[in-house]
Amino acid sequence: MITNRKKRISALCVTLLTLLCLAGCGQPETEEESGIMSEEQISTMEALYGQDQAAVLEGLGLKDSDVSEGDNAGCWDLQETAALFGAEFKQMILYDVSTETMYGMWYAYNSDEETAPLELAENLLEECSSLYGEPSTYPGSLNQLTNEDFAEDFSKTWSDGLSDSWSETWSVGENTTCTLNVSVLPDASGSMNAYFNLQYTIKAAR
């Protein structure tokens, strides 16, 4: 009797495990995150404005070995990249060179392909607008990313081997301006490149 009971319990467990596995297979895959800064991350960054490197690294949970002095003045480069829509963006902490205190973050990426950068630009614009609302770009500014002819202008600039730039800004968090800039220009050899810059900086005092 005990043996039969054990067999029945074992069979029931196998059946339940099978059902759970099948149920898991039917669940949709988790949507890939865009990597754009959330409101919570922006709030964490804002608490570090005006802080020196040691305080900034502690606030971000980083070690001295995680950063290095950047090629650009006023930047501490992070060793780890940030994945935004599958593209690996270089991460930099922006600091005031006179006081050596933080005032923002900079994400940079460049590509020598035409189609992928255009798609990335549109994805970044859509996600920023979704998270932060309508851009606060100065009305009437030329070369806005939200212009309906952006894609056409981007492709024409690329194919003609010319240079141009498009951007949008958003007011985010309590005291931060987010700026998305996309530029196209040829390098020294004439090859075309697209440059992406996403910056979060403290609002200028009025």
Side-chain angles (χ1 to χ4, degrees), residues 7-25:
K7 286 182 178 180
R8 287 197 299 271
I9 293 174
S10 297
L12 180 60
C13 288
V14 170
T15 302
L16 288 173
L17 286 172
T18 301
L19 290 173
L20 288 172
C21 289
L22 290 174
C25 292

Coordinates of all heavy atoms in Angstrom, one line a residue, residues 7-25:
K7 N 4.2 5.7 -5.4 CA 4.2 5.8 -6.9 C 3.2 6.8 -7.4 O 3.5 7.5 -8.3 CB 3.9 4.4 -7.4 CG 5.0 3.4 -7.3 CD 4.6 2.1 -7.9 CE 5.8 1.0 -7.8 NZ 5.4 -0.3 -8.4
R8 N 2.0 6.8 -6.7 CA 1.0 7.8 -7.1 C 1.5 9.2 -6.9 O 1.3 10.1 -7.7 CB -0.3 7.5 -6.4 CG -1.0 6.3 -6.8 CD -2.5 6.3 -6.4 NE -2.6 6.3 -4.9 CZ -2.6 5.2 -4.2 NH1 -2.6 4.0 -4.7 NH2 -2.8 5.3 -2.9
I9 N 2.1 9.5 -5.7 CA 2.7 10.8 -5.4 C 3.7 11.2 -6.4 O 3.8 12.3 -6.9 CB 3.2 10.8 -4.0 CG1 2.1 10.7 -3.0 CG2 4.0 12.2 -3.7 CD1 2.5 10.6 -1.5
S10 N 4.6 10.3 -6.7 CA 5.7 10.6 -7.7 C 5.1 10.9 -9.1 O 5.6 11.8 -9.7 CB 6.6 9.4 -7.8 OG 7.3 9.1 -6.6
A11 N 4.1 10.1 -9.5 CA 3.5 10.4 -10.8 C 2.8 11.7 -10.8 O 2.8 12.5 -11.8 CB 2.5 9.3 -11.1
L12 N 2.2 12.1 -9.7 CA 1.5 13.4 -9.6 C 2.5 14.6 -9.7 O 2.3 15.6 -10.3 CB 0.7 13.5 -8.3 CG 0.0 14.8 -8.0 CD1 -1.0 15.1 -9.1 CD2 -0.7 14.8 -6.6
C13 N 3.7 14.4 -9.0 CA 4.7 15.4 -9.0 C 5.2 15.6 -10.5 O 5.5 16.7 -10.9 CB 5.9 15.0 -8.1 SG 5.5 15.2 -6.4
V14 N 5.5 14.5 -11.2 CA 5.9 14.6 -12.5 C 4.9 15.3 -13.4 O 5.3 16.2 -14.2 CB 6.2 13.2 -13.1 CG1 6.5 13.2 -14.6 CG2 7.4 12.5 -12.4
T15 N 3.6 15.0 -13.2 CA 2.6 15.7 -14.0 C 2.6 17.2 -13.7 O 2.5 18.0 -14.7 CB 1.2 15.1 -13.7 OG1 1.3 13.7 -13.9 CG2 0.1 15.7 -14.5
L16 N 2.7 17.6 -12.4 CA 2.7 19.0 -12.1 C 3.9 19.7 -12.7 O 3.8 20.8 -13.2 CB 2.7 19.1 -10.6 CG 1.3 18.8 -9.9 CD1 1.5 18.8 -8.4 CD2 0.2 19.7 -10.3
L17 N 5.1 19.1 -12.6 CA 6.3 19.7 -13.2 C 6.1 19.9 -14.7 O 6.6 20.9 -15.2 CB 7.5 18.8 -12.8 CG 8.0 18.9 -11.4 CD1 9.1 17.9 -11.1 CD2 8.5 20.3 -11.0
T18 N 5.5 18.9 -15.3 CA 5.4 19.0 -16.8 C 4.4 20.2 -17.1 O 4.7 20.9 -18.1 CB 4.8 17.7 -17.3 OG1 5.6 16.6 -17.0 CG2 4.6 17.8 -18.8
L19 N 3.4 20.3 -16.4 CA 2.4 21.4 -16.6 C 3.1 22.8 -16.4 O 2.9 23.7 -17.2 CB 1.2 21.3 -15.7 CG 0.3 20.1 -16.0 CD1 -0.8 19.9 -15.0 CD2 -0.4 20.3 -17.4
L20 N 3.9 22.8 -15.3 CA 4.6 24.1 -15.0 C 5.6 24.5 -16.2 O 5.7 25.6 -16.6 CB 5.3 24.0 -13.7 CG 4.4 24.0 -12.5 CD1 5.3 23.7 -11.2 CD2 3.7 25.4 -12.3
C21 N 6.3 23.5 -16.7 CA 7.2 23.7 -17.8 C 6.5 24.2 -19.0 O 6.9 25.1 -19.7 CB 8.0 22.4 -18.1 SG 9.2 22.0 -16.8
L22 N 5.4 23.5 -19.3 CA 4.6 23.9 -20.5 C 4.1 25.3 -20.3 O 4.0 26.1 -21.3 CB 3.5 22.9 -20.7 CG 3.9 21.5 -21.2 CD1 2.7 20.6 -21.2 CD2 4.5 21.6 -22.6
A23 N 3.6 25.7 -19.1 CA 3.1 27.0 -18.9 C 4.2 28.1 -19.1 O 4.0 29.1 -19.6 CB 2.5 27.1 -17.5
G24 N 5.4 27.7 -18.6 CA 6.5 28.6 -18.8 C 6.9 28.9 -20.2 O 7.2 30.0 -20.6
C25 N 6.8 27.8 -21.0 CA 7.1 27.9 -22.4 C 6.1 28.8 -23.1 O 6.5 29.4 -24.1 CB 7.1 26.5 -23.1 SG 8.5 25.5 -22.5

